[in-house]
């Protein structure tokens, strides 16, 4: 990995970890941070030794959102030319699963970044919110759409229109996060969860992620058809033959990602 300024990268077995690393700015997502994040995620995505990724911040903040100081004087055309939304879309195009390990503030673009991930492990101190309304705008990286699909209209409206924060226990109760755990262990839990997924059949994991995400894009009939094709496709993999043979022979499968 290159020397990044706004993130740190590590590997933990088959898990690639990206730490957002602008602690003084509560990990505000300036353009350079997003570019580095995307670069690191793409490198992990292309690396056969990696099966899943974790994105985290620090205990105080996962991220307090887009960098307001960088955005404040921008025109609409500036924002278009910077291609910010391309960056977000490219993160959502990463093929391997991404777990967000969230502690403290996950606000604005920080909340939206967590929502772009496939699973979220929250510390009990996590707070999810879309405070853009307090600075005269609305979420611009998927918040209005993804929160509404996950939480429903009532709560999404409160968050977007009235700066309502969701604490970790509420986020868990509403299905926004997978786990809410002690602050001491949220990163370990996220790494463990990512590690378990990274040890599973890689092609099936990739197609499983793709199929679940299609549920947000397609009609039920189209989604079922996409799932059916992906299911059939897996019967062309060595891992399907291995997985079913191992079951019948009562032994652990050895996945080859082929
Ligand atoms: N952008 C740039 N800098 C930020 C930032 C942000 N989103 N959030 C925090 N910071 C900076 C602060 O300016 C401050 O820097 P200085 O020390 O240089 O003044 C430092 O981080 C620490 O922040 P605070 O002193 O404000 O810390 P606090 O504990 O008093 O408050 C907070 C914490 C409630 C999270 C507060 O920082 C805050 O409200 N941040 C902004 C949250 C926000 O509005 N996010 C939405 C951004 S817009 C967006 O994300 C659009 C989109 O959809 C893509």
């Amino acid at each position: 990995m290159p020397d990044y300024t706004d993130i740190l990268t590590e590997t933990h077995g088959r898990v690639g970890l990206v730490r957002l690393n602008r602690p003084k700015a509560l990990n505000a997502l300036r353009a350079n941070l997003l570019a580095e994040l995307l670069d690191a995620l793409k490198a992990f995505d292309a690396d056969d030794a990696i099966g899943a990724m974790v994105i985290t911040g620090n205990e105080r903040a996962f991220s307090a959102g887009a960098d307001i100081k960088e955005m404040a004087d921008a025109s609409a055309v500036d924002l278009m030319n910077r291609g910010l939304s391309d960056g977000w879309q490219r993160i959502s195009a990463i093929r391997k699963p991404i777990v967000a390990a969230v502690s403290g503030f996950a606000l604005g673009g920080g909340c939206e970044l967590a929502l772009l991930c496939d699973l979220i492990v929250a510390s009990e101190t996590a707070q999810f919110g879309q405070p853009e309304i307090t600075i005269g705008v609305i979420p611009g990286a998927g918040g209005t759409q993804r929160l509404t699909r996950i939480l429903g209209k009532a709560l999404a409206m409160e968050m977007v229109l009235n700066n309502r924060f969701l604490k970790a226990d509420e986020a868990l109760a509403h299905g926004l996060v997978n786990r809410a755990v002690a602050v001491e262990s949220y990163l370990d839990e996220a790494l463990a969860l990512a590690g378990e997924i990274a040890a599973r059949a890689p092609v099936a994991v990739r197609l499983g992620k793709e199929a679940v995400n299609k549920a947000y894009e397609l009609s039920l009939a189209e989604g079922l058809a996409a799932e059916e094709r992906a299911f059939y496709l897996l019967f062309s993999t060595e891992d399907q033959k291995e997985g079913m043979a191992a079951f019948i022979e009562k032994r652990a499968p050895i996945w080859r990602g082929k």
Side-chain angles (χ1 to χ4, degrees):
M1 288 276 179
D3 278 341
Y4 295 118
T5 54
D6 289 351
I7 62 168
L8 300 168
T9 60
E10 296 162 28
T11 54
H12 293 249
R14 284 182 50 75
V15 178
L17 171 65
V18 181
R19 293 178 193 265
L20 310 183
N21 189 34
R22 296 186 70 209
K24 287 188 187 141
L26 303 185
N27 292 327
L29 303 167
R30 65 176 171 189
N32 183 64
L33 185 152
L34 280 172
E36 290 185 359
L37 173 63
L38 182 61
D39 192 68
L41 293 176
K42 281 167 71 178
F44 283 140
D45 210 26
D47 183 349
D48 286 343
I50 297 294
M53 294 158 232
V54 172
I55 302 176
T56 196
N58 54 51
E59 267 187 34
R60 183 163 177 229
F62 177 70
S63 168
D67 192 313
I68 298 168
K69 293 165 189 166
E70 191 179 63
M71 266 185 326
D73 295 325
S75 69
V77 175
D78 290 336
L79 293 183
M80 261 189 262
N81 288 343
R82 284 179 206 169
L84 272 189
S85 71
D86 292 355
W88 296 103
Q89 276 166 28
R90 285 195 212 129
I91 293 174
S92 66
I94 295 290
R95 291 167 305 183
K96 290 171 188 166
I98 308 176
V99 180
V102 177
S103 179
F105 298 116
L107 303 180
C111 182
E112 291 164 301
L113 175 60
L115 295 176
L116 273 181
C117 296
D118 304 298
L119 302 117
I120 304 177
V121 174
S123 99
E124 60 204 351
T125 64
Q127 300 193 65
F128 298 86
Q130 298 288 164
E132 289 88 345
I133 198 73
T134 67
I135 51 171
V137 290
I138 63 169
T144 64
Q145 303 306 298
R146 291 200 172 89
L147 279 176
T148 308
R149 281 167 163 78
I150 298 166
L151 302 172
K153 180 175 167 182
L155 204 43
M157 282 290 187
E158 268 201 79
M159 291 179 75
V160 172
L161 302 186
N162 204 26
N163 195 25
R164 159 89 142 87
F165 281 19
L166 281 191
K167 295 201 162 113
D169 55 346
E170 288 178 296
L172 183 65
H174 287 286
L176 190 74
V177 306
N178 295 77
R179 293 183 197 165
V181 301
V183 64
E184 294 77 25
S185 61
Y186 76 98
L187 182 55
D188 288 342
E189 295 256 1
L191 287 168
L193 179 58
E196 284 171 23
I197 295 169
R200 299 194 183 278
V203 186
V205 166
R206 173 178 163 182
L207 293 184
K209 164 173 170 160
E210 213 176 282
V212 172
N213 280 332
K214 284 219 160 78
Y216 288 100
E217 312 277 349
L218 303 177
S219 70
L220 180 60
E222 290 165 326
L224 290 172
E227 180 195 86
E228 187 186 356
R229 284 193 295 273
F231 180 73
Y232 293 157
L233 180 63
L234 286 166
F235 282 74
S236 69
T237 64
E238 290 176 19
D239 283 348
Q240 174 269 325
K241 302 289 176 261
E242 165 66 6
M244 293 192 183
F247 175 82
I248 292 163
E249 293 159 20
K250 299 187 189 296
R251 61 174 175 82
I254 298 167
W255 307 124
R256 301 195 193 289
K258 288 181 183 168

